[in-house]
Amino acid sequence: EAGVVQSPRYKIIEKKQPVAFWCNPISGHNTLYWYRQNLGQGPELLIRYENEEAVDDSQLPKDRFSAERLKGVDSTLKIQPAELGDSAVYLCASSLYPAGVVWDEQFFGPGTRLTVL
Amino acid sequence: QKEVEQNSGPLSVPEGAIASLNCTYSDRGSQSFFWYRQYSGKSPELIMSIYSNGDKEDGRFTAQLNKASQYVSLLIRDSQPSDSATYLCAVPGGYNKLIFGAGTRLAVHP
């Protein structure tokens, strides 16, 4: 079974440029998560999707970040314009069941390492 | 905001020793606790979950939970160099939302 796929794996951009990350979750997984992991820190949730619906985006900086999950499968996270402080690893994760299950294991993708110069 | 605290380390142990990793959490209502392992440059992977007070063993790994003290730990017996990684403690912050600690870096030296 293929795992969570993310691309690109690395991205270097100059500040004020736009950037987009792509994620394809494990086949059949309804819930998709975007996390940001700063150096030396644990991942922090940015947004969670149940199928096509964003059900938790309270941590997403909406002035510059946007996300979509068309057709409830793969997802794109965008930053426009990027700032120096956005340098981090952006992790995508997926889980099989929607909210309401007490706990469901999240499987993480390899992440995209973003460097903003 | 729920908080999860971990000592950042590095925790250095000799090969074959027991590594003890600790985590405290702020929300007394937390019911589930998770340990993820993250190798350098890789994504987190779930290695242990624990839901009730006491110990849970899985191979060389033992998770220990004390809800009264709001404390969860991970013991790794017979530590191997391949165990060298960052260990992240996580607590649910809602339905399927995880709150991670900053992680403890473990270094097992031959």
Side-chain angles (χ1 to χ4, degrees):
Chain A
E1 177 183 271
V4 177
V5 179
Q6 290 188 248
S7 68
R9 293 294 312 278
Y10 304 91
K11 190 74 176 178
I12 300 174
I13 61 171
E14 295 192 347
K15 62 181 180 181
K16 301 185 181 180
Q17 294 300 305
V19 64
F21 315 123
W22 177 81
C23 171
N24 187 259
I26 293 173
S27 178
H29 280 199
N30 296 301
T31 308
L32 183 147
Y33 314 77
W34 283 103
Y35 287 88
R36 176 171 59 190
Q37 186 172 23
N38 292 310
L39 189 64
Q41 299 296 315
E44 294 179 294
L45 181 69
L46 292 175
I47 189 168
R48 173 169 65 90
Y49 281 92
E50 300 290 351
N51 299 306
E52 302 90 353
E53 183 180 1
V55 295
D56 185 353
D57 63 356
S58 56
Q59 300 290 93
L60 191 72
K62 298 181 182 63
D63 57 337
R64 297 182 300 106
F65 286 64
S66 65
E68 61 182 10
R69 191 185 184 197
L70 301 176
K71 301 181 181 178
V73 181
D74 54 357
S75 175
T76 302
L77 177 69
K78 298 178 182 178
I79 308 175
Q80 183 172 10
E83 297 180 352
L84 295 177
D86 297 330
S87 295
V89 175
Y90 291 82
L91 293 163
C92 180
S94 70
S95 61
L96 180 59
Y97 296 110
V101 177
V102 175
W103 172 249
D104 189 25
E105 181 177 353
Q106 297 180 22
F107 296 86
F108 285 83
T112 296
R113 182 176 298 276
L114 173 67
T115 302
V116 182
L117 303 176
Chain B
Q1 173 71 357
K2 300 180 182 180
E3 293 184 352
V4 179
E5 299 288 338
Q6 294 181 258
N7 187 321
S8 62
L11 173 66
S12 182
V13 301
E15 184 174 356
I18 296 176
S20 178
L21 305 161
N22 304 314
C23 172
T24 59
Y25 58 94
S26 62
D27 183 13
R28 285 192 170 277
S30 295
Q31 298 294 318
S32 312
F33 306 87
F34 308 93
W35 283 100
Y36 280 77
R37 177 176 61 199
Q38 187 172 27
Y39 291 112
S40 181
K42 303 296 184 182
S43 57
E45 58 176 328
L46 181 66
I47 56 171
M48 287 287 283
S49 57
I50 187 166
Y51 305 97
S52 53
N53 274 332
D55 296 358
K56 178 182 177 182
E57 187 174 316
D58 184 359
R60 295 186 296 112
F61 298 94
T62 299
Q64 298 177 320
L65 174 60
N66 184 326
K67 290 186 179 180
S69 300
Q70 295 175 240
Y71 177 96
V72 58
S73 64
L74 179 70
L75 302 178
I76 306 175
R77 290 183 301 282
D78 188 24
S79 295
Q80 301 297 310
S82 59
D83 295 325
S84 298
T86 296
Y87 290 80
L88 299 163
C89 175
V91 174
Y95 285 128
N96 275 353
K97 175 179 178 176
L98 285 176
I99 307 296
F100 284 89
T104 298
R105 188 157 56 93
L106 173 66
V108 181
H109 53 87

